[in-house]
Amino acid sequence: MSDRIKSVTARQLIDCKCRPMVEVDVITENGFLGRGSAPTGSTVGMYESCVLRDGDPNEYGGKSVHKAVDNVNTILGPAIIGMDVTDQKGIDYKMIALDGTENKAKLGGNAIYAVSVAVFRAAAASAGMPLYNYIAGGPIKTVPVPSFNVVNGGKNAGITQPFNEFIVMPWKAGSIYEAVETGVKVFEQLPKVIKSRFKTEPMVGRSFGYVAPSEDPEEVLDTIMQAADECGCADKISLSLDCASSEMYDAATKTYLLKGKRVTADELIDYVRELTDKFEFVFIEDLLDENDWDAFPHAVSRITKTNIIGDDFIVTNKKRIEQAYAMNGIGGFILKPNQVGTITEALETYRFAVDHDLLAITSGRSGGVIDDVVMDLAVGLQLGFIKNGAPRSGERIEKLNFLMRACSLSEGCRMSDISKLVKF
């Protein structure tokens, strides 16, 4: 039974870092509501869809989104009113055509994406089921393994840690409930270890993990494993890294910052390969710059004990993952639908990955929101593991609760077994 879109309304709200974002309500003729919002990252790849901001220095330092809101209310919304709410592809591609630019710069990727998510949710509401069941086409059998970004790199307090995220993955736990408790235990033990090892008070990073206490990645990894060992969890976890190396890349010299020195891509690859001999890594994300196409195939061929994953490198874009796959330059990608700007395009990239034996890993953004659609995608697509962030701020804890709740509500559901996906 079809249900058509009756109204589309947008507003400006704020994300978890108090930056303005677009939120959209879609209401169907049968009275069902779908709500979508457009979070953004602290680091944004140059190939992501445009986040249209007003640039008015007198409001939120230029970050307000009234233009994008207006584009929803006056252009995008009127164009899709009357369309069948289940026609996600038709609706998304109509908005893409209305914008007409490669990166959705005219109407705003944040405007288009918020509408796309709202339509997706309204369709599930009209079908009378949670969105993750709507995506799965029925009851779910598994929920993904959560991960915990416990230490944040970058530039903090005179220390430049070249790797951006140090991640704990409790994939050896016996259930989703034990996995969440394991991640929390390690996180709560970590400040004690940091204080004892480095004789300094732990600080909170920009992604709500602890600030890296050293410029040496290996020392940070040792610190995390000490915390896991002290709380009796070392046998339940492995690690992962988000290097975000575009942040540390110098295009003029084609070098990367590592432990206070500039190194070549080959040197960085060799260093990380040595780390994989000492530590168990489920995946390593954005090891190289988003434009370093030549080096990614070298990383895949030389680092064989983990999965090499692209985030800024792929930006959930089907053309980019096709090119990376053709070069054997990737083992999977981070699925962030707002990077490409519509649910349809994100799912097209996901299907390419699945069809070519590449991993897909959903992730929220650092400027996240409660009730992020990426969690419905993670559960509905029955992914093996996901990125959750640090178990500190509300929207990140909500993602952990989402996994436990979905498992509890689904008879026979369990946490995914990713033993066939790890390479160590």
Side-chain angles (χ1 to χ4, degrees), residues 210-288:
Y210 290 102
V211 167
S214 169
E215 296 191 346
D216 185 344
E218 185 173 352
E219 194 165 18
V220 175
L221 294 165
D222 279 330
T223 302
I224 294 170
M225 290 309 301
Q226 180 181 337
D229 185 62
E230 288 184 2
C231 64
C233 297
D235 61 335
K236 298 176 186 177
I237 73 164
S238 296
L239 303 169
S240 289
L241 288 173
D242 175 6
C243 300
S245 287
S246 292
E247 298 293 308
M248 300 295 163
Y249 183 67
D250 179 67
T253 61
K254 296 184 178 180
T255 59
Y256 296 85
L257 185 66
L258 179 64
K259 294 192 287 185
K261 300 178 181 179
R262 306 302 307 184
V263 300
T264 65
D266 282 342
E267 289 171 323
L268 179 60
I269 291 168
D270 286 341
Y271 173 77
V272 170
R273 182 182 60 190
E274 291 173 3
L275 288 181
T276 64
D277 288 332
K278 180 175 181 180
F279 302 97
E280 294 181 349
F281 294 102
V282 177
F283 68 89
I284 294 177
E285 174 187 339
D286 280 351
L287 172 59
L288 300 153

Side-chain angles (χ1 to χ4, degrees), residues 6 13 26 37 80 101-103 105 118 121 167 185 191 205 213 237 242 248 275 279 304 371 383 385 398 400 411 420:
K6 180 180 180 181
L13 296 182
V26 166
S37 56
I80 67 171
T101 65
E102 182 71 20
N103 67 340
R121 290 198 181 283
I167 299 167
K185 280 183 176 180
I237 73 164
D242 175 6
M248 300 295 163
L275 288 181
F279 302 97
T304 58
D371 199 25
L383 301 185
F385 54 93
E398 189 271 341
L400 298 170
E411 185 176 356
K420 293 182 180 179

Side-chain angles (χ1 to χ4, degrees), residues 132-133 138-144 174-177 379 382 403-417:
Y132 57 81
N133 286 140
I140 58 168
K141 302 298 183 184
T142 62
V143 294
S175 68
I176 182 61
Y177 313 104
V379 173
Q382 299 286 267
L403 296 176
M404 293 187 288
R405 184 184 305 114
C407 189
S408 174
L409 292 173
S410 303
E411 185 176 356
C413 187
R414 56 178 176 78
M415 188 174 74
S416 292
D417 177 2

Side-chain angles (χ1 to χ4, degrees), residues 49-65:
S49 65
C50 171
V51 178
L52 183 63
R53 298 196 184 274
D54 300 332
D56 179 0
N58 296 314
E59 185 174 1
Y60 287 101
K63 294 181 179 179
S64 61
V65 292

Side-chain angles (χ1 to χ4, degrees), residues 197-214:
R197 282 182 68 124
F198 299 97
K199 312 305 178 186
T200 184
E201 289 294 329
M203 296 184 294
V204 178
R206 62 180 180 178
S207 292
F208 305 115
Y210 290 102
V211 167
S214 169

Side-chain angles (χ1 to χ4, degrees), residues 10-13 20-24 36-39 65 68-69 72 110-111 114:
R11 63 186 65 87
Q12 174 178 286
L13 296 182
M21 69 176 184
V22 180
E23 182 182 78
V24 172
S37 56
V65 292
V69 167
V72 174
N110 47 341

